[in-house]
Amino acid sequence: MDFIDLKRQQQVLKDKLDQAIARVLAHGRYINGPEVAELEEKLASFAGAGHAVAVDSGTGALELLLEALGCGSGDAVIVPSFTFAATAEAVASAGATPLFADVDPQTALLDPASVTAVIKQCSTMPDLKLRGIIGVDLFGQPADYTALSALAREYNLFLIEDAAQSIGASDNGSNAGSLAPYAITSFFPAKPLGGYGDGGMVFCNDKKTAREIRSLREHGRGEERLSYTAIGTTARLDTIQAAILLEKLKIFADELEARRRIAARYRELLPEQLLTLQQRDGTLSSWAQFTVCHPQRDKLLEALQQAKIPAAVYYRKPLHVQPVYQKVGRTPLPLPATEKLSKSVFSLPFHPYLQESEQQLIAETLQQALKKMQLQ
Ligand SMILES: *Cc1c(COP(=O)(O)O)cnc(C)c1O
């Protein structure tokens, strides 16, 4: 059993992928080929965003976006500590300071009450100017952008949706990638819409930011050939990756349906003592991960390992306890939910091709381990 089985998806798509790659080899436009523009158009419309700009990774998307928003040295950006490093890393790479806030203990999503408390603490940090908030759609579920955008408006902050894990998710009918004025996603192979290499996308509604990111991803180029208006970088998405993603996008709606069916089945099969993370009212997750919690997590992980069932812990070490992030970031207030979740969460094998028999085996293994623990 694989934790995320990409081979089964490849079997479904192999011929189409071979043809898509062959088309790129035939036209030879490996950089800025027509597939890149087509993917941008299709994903902008899929997400419901005005503009989509394809870049080299989700991290690159965050970095270019922060640069386009003029975020740099002396600025601060509120981020959850309970996330993949890239969220805070991009803030630090921009020269700004990540301020770590807590998550909701039930959903593991950035908690607007904690964000409010951190905003209030900013008056004790006169060396920093608070500029923005990055919400993270952890494990595929959208954060509460209604509450976060109210805060962003009140305090005049930019709001970014880190939708690296959540493309395909929605909140009351609006799709991930368009839940905040700015958003990014990732095409890392294990993400819900993954390529065969690195890739990412910036989503936004304003034309100016989209134009700036198009320039920055390509050395800061201006309108005329070999003229430059900014110090940019090389951060384009390869044409071959775009071609592969276009084929994967064609089956993505079916895969999302399968993901939701499989998540519902896990909820039926798993023993009650395992708490699943709550889904907010009105949200549909893309189920990047299926995550459960138990105070004796490590014993359960051991039982899974003995049964050769792969499991993973996202995230065992939240960012605010890691020395490198303690150096570049600040944690104005305690983060009790983050600490608690990091000690109890683990994620089970999950992908759109997971079989019911595999889920039954996982559930039985956990059931038996829990029984044994009760007897001890
Ligand atoms: C994966 C991920 C990223 C970064 O994406 P890459 O394409 O790997 O650079 C950023 N934020 C979150 C929450 C992620 O899970």
Side-chain angles (χ1 to χ4, degrees), residues 56-62 82-89 135-139 162-166 184-189 191 197-201 288 315:
D56 62 345
S57 68
T59 307
L62 275 172
F82 197 60
T83 178
F84 181 60
T87 314
E89 179 191 30
V136 177
D137 301 347
L138 201 70
F139 306 138
D162 181 341
Q165 303 179 6
S166 68
I184 67 98
T185 197
S186 161
F187 305 126
F188 182 81
K191 308 276 165 148
D198 282 311
M201 191 77 83
Y315 298 93

Side-chain angles (χ1 to χ4, degrees), residues 199-210:
M201 191 77 83
V202 179
F203 298 102
C204 64
N205 280 325
D206 77 280
K207 214 174 173 170
K208 182 173 161 281
T209 304

